[in-house]
């Protein structure tokens, strides 16, 4: 059955929109990572800037269209985020500092609940280099799973951690243009 679905997905993907970030091809369609046999589509993608310089590209895969940011924010939507670095290189300490600063927008109570998982997540992040990838898979049943440059870095259980992580891109403090591009509500950036 999976072979039949794969053949259909291959035929179906010829017209699918894909995106290339720093030489890394992010497909327009892919198999779901939540254990189902569903096909997920590229919902949107964005370029995240730091000091007006493209820092990384990020793409969102999920099932269906018209994703509700509130559903994403509360951790009810299985999905994949693919992050690809644009920077030539960035030491691990600066990568960690960037994401720690983003996480620390959460309330003190939220931070207290997720701190051990946040620290484990941040510790798994290596130096950034152009074309390096971070993949974040989320399923409400299984939690968050992280891989870096194709290497599994482990799981992070709990909807509270996922909410804090997704708030970096979908929360109230997230860049509004990038959020809307990820959700397919604004035209994506040109590369």
């Amino acid at each position: 059955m999976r072979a039949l679905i794969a053949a259909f997905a291959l035929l179906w993907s010829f017209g699918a929109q894909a995106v290339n970030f720093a030489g890394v091809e992010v497909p327009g369609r892919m198999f779901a990572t939540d254990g189902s046999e569903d096909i997920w589509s590229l919902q949107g993608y964005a370029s995240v800037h730091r000091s007006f310089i493209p820092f990384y590209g990020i793409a969102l895969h999920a099932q269906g269209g018209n994703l509700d940011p509130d559903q994403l924010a509360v951790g009810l939507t299985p999905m994949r985020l693919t992050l690809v670095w644009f920077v030539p290189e960035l030491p691990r300490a600066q990568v960690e500092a960037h994401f720690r600063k983003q996480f620390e927008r959460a309330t003190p109570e939220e931070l207290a609940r997720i701190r051990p998982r946040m620290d484990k997540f941040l510790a798994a992040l290596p130096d950034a280099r152009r074309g390096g990838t971070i993949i974040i898979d989320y399923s409400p049943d299984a939690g968050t799973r992280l891989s870096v440059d194709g290497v599994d870095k482990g799981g992070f259980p709990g909807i509270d951690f996922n909410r804090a992580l997704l708030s970096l891109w979908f929360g109230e403090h997230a860049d509004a243009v990038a959020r809307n591009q990820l959700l397919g509500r604004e035209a994506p950036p040109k590369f």
Side-chain angles (χ1 to χ4, degrees):
M1 180 66 168
R2 191 157 175 101
L4 181 61
I5 293 172
F8 174 71
L10 181 63
L11 289 173
W12 188 39
S13 68
F14 285 119
Q17 174 191 12
V19 64
N20 188 302
F21 290 141
V24 175
E25 185 78 16
V26 178
R29 293 188 177 87
M30 59 179 274
F31 280 109
T33 62
D34 65 353
S36 70
E37 291 190 352
D38 295 333
I39 302 290
W40 287 354
S41 298
L42 181 63
Q43 302 295 312
Y45 57 92
S47 178
V48 174
H49 293 77
R50 183 171 145 189
S51 301
F52 304 103
I53 296 170
F55 197 43
Y56 60 81
I58 188 161
L60 169 65
H61 283 89
Q63 186 174 14
N66 298 323
L67 291 176
D68 181 348
D70 294 331
Q71 292 278 358
L72 287 169
V74 297
L76 299 176
T77 305
M79 53 168 281
R80 169 176 275 188
L81 286 170
T82 302
L83 181 151
V84 180
W85 292 105
F86 290 149
V87 294
E89 60 183 60
L90 189 68
R92 196 193 89 64
Q94 290 182 10
V95 171
E96 179 181 338
H98 168 75
F99 284 105
R100 183 175 300 280
K101 181 179 176 184
Q102 302 302 312
F103 269 115
E104 290 178 348
R105 292 177 174 170
T107 67
E109 296 80 23
E110 290 170 322
L111 276 176
R113 282 194 307 271
I114 68 161
R115 182 153 318 271
R117 289 167 286 166
M118 178 187 78
D119 290 341
K120 178 184 170 189
F121 179 88
L122 295 172
L125 301 176
D127 294 346
R129 60 169 178 38
R130 185 171 177 78
T133 61
I134 296 173
I135 294 179
I136 300 165
D137 287 315
Y138 177 70
S139 165
D141 295 331
T144 303
R145 189 126 209 112
L146 174 70
S147 71
V148 176
D149 294 325
V151 177
D152 182 27
K153 295 295 184 175
F156 303 85
I159 200 166
D160 54 346
F161 177 78
N162 183 63
R163 287 177 181 161
L165 180 61
L166 292 183
S167 74
L168 305 183
W169 300 284
F170 302 107
E172 66 181 271
H173 299 294
D175 178 280
V177 172
R179 178 179 50 236
N180 287 334
Q181 288 174 336
L182 279 169
L183 294 169
R185 295 182 177 164
E186 276 190 36
K190 302 280 188 225
F191 294 104

